[in-house]
Amino acid sequence: MRPIQERLSALGLSSLGRTESHVLTSVNKVLEALHRLAQIPVPECKAPAPINGFEEGRMLLKQHTEALLGPPPAKRNARIMVTMPTEAADDPRLVEQLLANGMDCMRINCAHDDASAWKRMIGHLRDAEQSFGRKCRVLMDLADPKLRTGPIEPGDQVIKWSPRRNLLGQVTAPARIWMFPEKQASAAPSPADACLPVQVSWLDRLTVGDRIVFDDQRGLRCEIRVVESVGQCRWAEAVRTAYVTPGTTLRQRVGKKKQRDTKGCRKTKLGPLPSQEQVLILNVGDTLILTHDKVAGRPAQLDVDNKEIMPAQIGRTLPTIFADVRAGETIWFNDGKIGGVIELVESQQVTVRITQARECGEKLRADKGINLPDSTLRLPALTEKDIRDLPFVAAHADIVGYSFVRDADDVDELEARLHVLGGEHLGIVLKIETRGAFEQLPSLLVASMRTPCDGVMIARGDLAIECGFERLAEVQEQILWICEAAHVQVIWATQVLEGVAKDGLASRAEVSDAVTSQRAECVMLNKGEHIVKALQTLDNILQRMQSHQHKKRSMLRPLELASRFP
């Protein structure tokens, strides 16, 4: 249609650019107008009845949205879904705040927590509904067969502490060190920069004001000062950075001696310290070996000239994928931060050449996502965990989120299992997070239309990796269009106002993204320390924008700017 769209507009006719929910009606109307302009008899329409007219298409989408997500809130059309943090299980006040500030749907990610915690979250919501006199749907998101990196060998047992300094290097706050009996582990009652296990007999003799000296791992003489006693434990403070390991000798200064020898000192040695998390540092051109998940990962081994002797290796979950990948296919790690190409596939390992990472190198940790957009993975959409979780979901949720769905057979399987569990009344939301699911979207929609109500979630995080970040805008546009044509509601998900949720501040790009999100019927927020503020911000944006834009249509409301112009 593109070549004639401008020509249609020049005639004062619809360019057919906003007809998703009533395509055939719009085409027929334009054809009728063209025939009359050309003074040609209008041919009889032979399309099958019924045909959705302009208003019928919009009404169908509205009805389907209300069936899945409930009636719209008082001041906006788009709903807001909020992902529950673990804290929501034991903090009813948090759930109350979310409901009071506009949450329309509670999302519980079944990949986290357990049935006991989920039940408490839902219980807090039902209590809050009674208090505020409004309803809120519950979506339970099944955990997908996520491919992730395996564990990495633990690093050294070393602890570092540093005081806080200003731009001039002056100490503004000393480092706080918690010392406790090594055989009676005691958590620090307040945030500590370091927790040190030492002999109880040595601790008992420490008093406020005592100085403790030691040589740290750099060979530098360091000192800390005791500032508080808490039972058998002690708080100390340091104004210099230090590195300590198990066996570091601590000396308690007695009297006013300042000599470097050990005379006049009482000594102890540090007990076992927690191993530091080890990471793999990967650069473009590096080799990475993927092994079975039972083999602990390790960094690359280098010689004295910093040349690689042994490449870095790391395990991964889902060992059966080795049979589904081929040399030349791309692979991505950690939400697309690290990219590579598979060079060699063997029975016990896969060799990857890193092709994308920051110039300074990118860190790869355990339990980070792996994406294989070019590979056809023979994995079940419903895992054993999903099947164990389904009875709870059927009994307590309103909607089930279907992760890793790929084709119509997957939808049929979920429907069959819900039917057996008495959960055929549940709405189903198809999470479009892989290239395969995007390419099969029309078939998925036809299959899901057999359910009482259905929807689509644009899982933009994984989808961007699978389809390419540069294509994400195009892909999400196509999903919005085809779902509107099917009169199916869309949930806009992943990193919406993430800066507000995590840090309390939004970037300009995040605000623009939130503005665009109002084209969907529902917008999802992820958990974060400032989630209530993120919810308030999104509610405000959606209310302001709905009078300017609906789907792709600009709403010609009176402009404040124009009204001020004489």
Side-chain angles (χ1 to χ4, degrees):
M1 301 302 298
R2 191 175 301 171
I4 68 169
Q5 283 188 296
E6 290 188 7
R7 294 170 64 191
L8 289 172
S9 296
L11 293 171
L13 301 177
S14 169
S15 65
L16 301 172
R18 298 188 297 272
T19 62
E20 284 80 2
S21 63
H22 41 78
V23 177
L24 195 52
T25 296
S26 298
V27 170
N28 286 337
K29 290 290 184 182
V30 171
L31 282 171
E32 180 181 348
L34 286 171
H35 279 80
R36 293 187 185 282
L37 285 171
Q39 298 182 347
I40 299 173
V42 179
E44 183 181 353
C45 178
K46 296 182 180 180
I51 301 173
N52 288 318
F54 296 100
E55 200 56 41
E56 289 88 346
R58 297 191 187 101
M59 289 303 299
L60 277 172
L61 180 56
K62 180 180 178 182
Q63 291 168 9
H64 295 166
T65 302
E66 291 193 11
L68 183 74
L69 299 170
K75 296 183 179 180
R76 57 177 156 77
N77 295 321
R79 282 70 164 175
I80 299 177
M81 179 184 296
V82 182
T83 301
M84 291 298 102
T86 299
E87 295 76 22
D90 300 306
D91 187 359
R93 177 60 182 158
L94 173 60
V95 178
E96 289 177 2
Q97 286 181 302
L98 292 172
L99 188 65
N101 283 280
M103 177 176 70
D104 305 295
C105 185
M106 168 188 278
R107 174 180 177 256
I108 296 175
N109 188 351
C110 294
H112 303 290
D113 307 310
D114 55 26
S116 174
W118 305 335
K119 190 172 184 178
R120 295 198 300 277
M121 293 175 188
I122 296 172
H124 297 328
L125 177 65
R126 299 311 178 207
D127 291 340
E129 287 177 330
Q130 294 291 327
S131 300
F132 293 102
R134 60 185 298 257
K135 291 292 185 179
C136 179
R137 298 291 168 95
V138 174
L139 179 145
M140 296 195 70
D141 213 335
L142 298 176
D144 59 8
K146 186 70 173 180
L147 181 60
R148 293 185 176 276
T149 54
I152 301 175
E153 292 175 351
D156 295 329
Q157 294 183 46
V158 59
I159 287 181
K160 170 193 174 184
W161 64 72
S162 296
R164 261 66 73 195
R165 300 178 184 273
N166 60 20
L167 294 176
L168 299 175
Q170 300 164 329
V171 174
T172 57
R176 297 268 291 170
I177 295 106
W178 174 253
M179 296 185 290
F180 62 92
E182 60 180 332
K183 295 183 180 179
Q184 306 171 29
S186 175
S190 59
D193 295 288
C195 296
L196 306 180
V198 293
Q199 293 176 353
V200 64
S201 58
W202 184 83
L203 265 181
D204 286 341
R205 301 181 72 173
L206 289 180
T207 59
V208 173
D210 283 351
R211 292 176 300 127
I212 300 165
V213 295
F214 58 92
D215 295 327
D216 81 348
Q217 291 306 297
R218 302 166 296 172
L220 300 179
R221 176 59 57 94
C222 300
E223 179 180 292
I224 61 177
R225 186 172 62 87
V226 179
V227 296
E228 185 181 353
S229 295
V230 182
Q232 289 186 308
C233 304
R234 302 291 185 270
W235 278 109
E237 292 181 345
V239 294
R240 289 187 64 184
T241 298
Y243 297 79
V244 297
T245 60
T248 297
T249 300
L250 305 182
R251 302 181 178 91
Q252 174 194 8
R253 282 291 190 188
V254 177
K256 298 182 179 180
K257 291 189 176 185
K258 296 184 180 179
Q259 65 272 25
R260 291 180 61 86
D261 59 32
T262 60
K263 296 179 180 179
C265 293
R266 301 188 184 96
K267 299 185 294 183
T268 190
K269 291 183 182 293
L270 284 182
L273 299 174
S275 298
Q276 296 299 304
E277 178 191 22
Q278 192 163 210
V279 300
L280 310 185
I281 306 296
L282 299 173
N283 295 277
V284 172
D286 285 354
T287 298
L288 175 65
I289 304 297
L290 277 182
T291 64
H292 289 296
D293 59 341
K294 294 180 181 179
V295 180
R298 54 167 175 71
Q301 297 179 18
L302 308 176
D303 62 16
V304 292
D305 297 322
N306 214 33
K307 293 183 178 179
E308 188 178 88
I309 302 172
M310 293 283 290
Q313 72 173 39
I314 195 166
R316 80 282 171 277
T317 58
L318 308 178
T320 58
I321 65 139
F322 277 4
D324 298 332
V325 298
R326 301 289 182 270
E329 294 176 341
T330 56
I331 183 169
W332 297 89
F333 302 89
N334 194 15
D335 295 331
K337 293 183 176 67
I338 303 170
V341 174
I342 296 172
E343 290 193 332
L344 180 63
V345 180
E346 301 174 272
S347 60
Q348 298 298 314
Q349 65 181 40
V350 170
T351 303
V352 175
R353 180 70 59 187
I354 302 302
T355 58
Q356 180 166 310
R358 289 187 295 182
E359 287 187 9
C360 58
E362 196 71 55
K363 294 179 180 178
L364 181 60
R365 290 183 164 84
D367 198 37
K368 294 301 179 181
I370 302 175
N371 291 83
L372 292 157
D374 300 336
S375 308
T376 302
L377 304 181
R378 291 171 293 180
L379 295 172
L382 288 175
T383 65
E384 292 181 2
K385 174 176 167 39
D386 295 336
I387 294 170
R388 291 195 303 271
D389 292 340
L390 268 178
F392 183 95
V393 174
H396 295 87
D398 303 300
I399 310 164
V400 55
Y402 200 1
S403 301
F404 206 72
V405 62
R406 291 164 301 181
D407 53 40
D409 290 341
D410 292 337
V411 179
D412 294 340
E413 181 183 357
L414 177 59
E415 290 178 1
R417 290 188 179 276
L418 288 175
H419 181 76
V420 171
L421 295 169
E424 54 269 86
H425 62 284
L426 265 64
I428 294 177
V429 167
L430 308 175
K431 292 178 65 177
I432 307 303
E433 53 191 340
T434 66
R435 184 189 299 178
F438 169 67
E439 292 170 350
Q440 289 292 319
L441 182 57
S443 299
L444 289 169
L445 289 172
V446 171
S448 67
M449 285 175 183
R450 292 192 293 267
T451 64
C453 49
D454 62 336
V456 163
M457 178 183 288
I458 310 178
R460 300 184 299 160
D462 283 316
L463 195 58
I465 302 168
E466 291 273 329
C467 296
F469 286 89
E470 68 281 359
R471 283 200 64 205
L472 178 61
E474 174 193 357
V475 167
Q476 67 189 19
E477 283 295 302
Q478 292 192 48
I479 295 174
L480 285 166
W481 296 346
I482 201 164
C483 285
E484 187 178 359
H487 312 116
V488 169
Q489 54 274 10
V490 173
I491 300 168
W492 185 281
T494 312
Q495 296 181 322
V496 177
L497 295 178
E498 185 176 36
V500 183
K502 289 186 175 180
D503 304 315
L505 295 171
S507 67
R508 288 185 292 273
E510 286 179 334
V511 173
S512 297
D513 179 60
V515 167
T516 307
S517 74
Q518 60 84 34
R519 290 180 53 195
E521 283 68 43
C522 182
V523 186
M524 191 188 90
L525 291 172
N526 255 326
K527 54 194 175 183
E529 185 178 350
H530 305 280
I531 185 59
V532 175
K533 182 178 179 181
L535 176 59
Q536 293 168 338
T537 303
L538 181 60
D539 178 67
N540 183 278
I541 291 172
L542 294 178
Q543 286 190 43
R544 289 175 179 273
M545 286 307 301
Q546 69 180 11
S547 57
H548 286 283
Q549 188 86 19
H550 176 71
K551 290 293 185 181
K552 290 194 300 179
R553 291 179 289 276
S554 294
M555 310 299 290
L556 301 181
R557 57 166 287 186
L559 299 182
E560 182 181 352
L561 178 65
S563 66
R564 292 181 177 180
F565 192 78

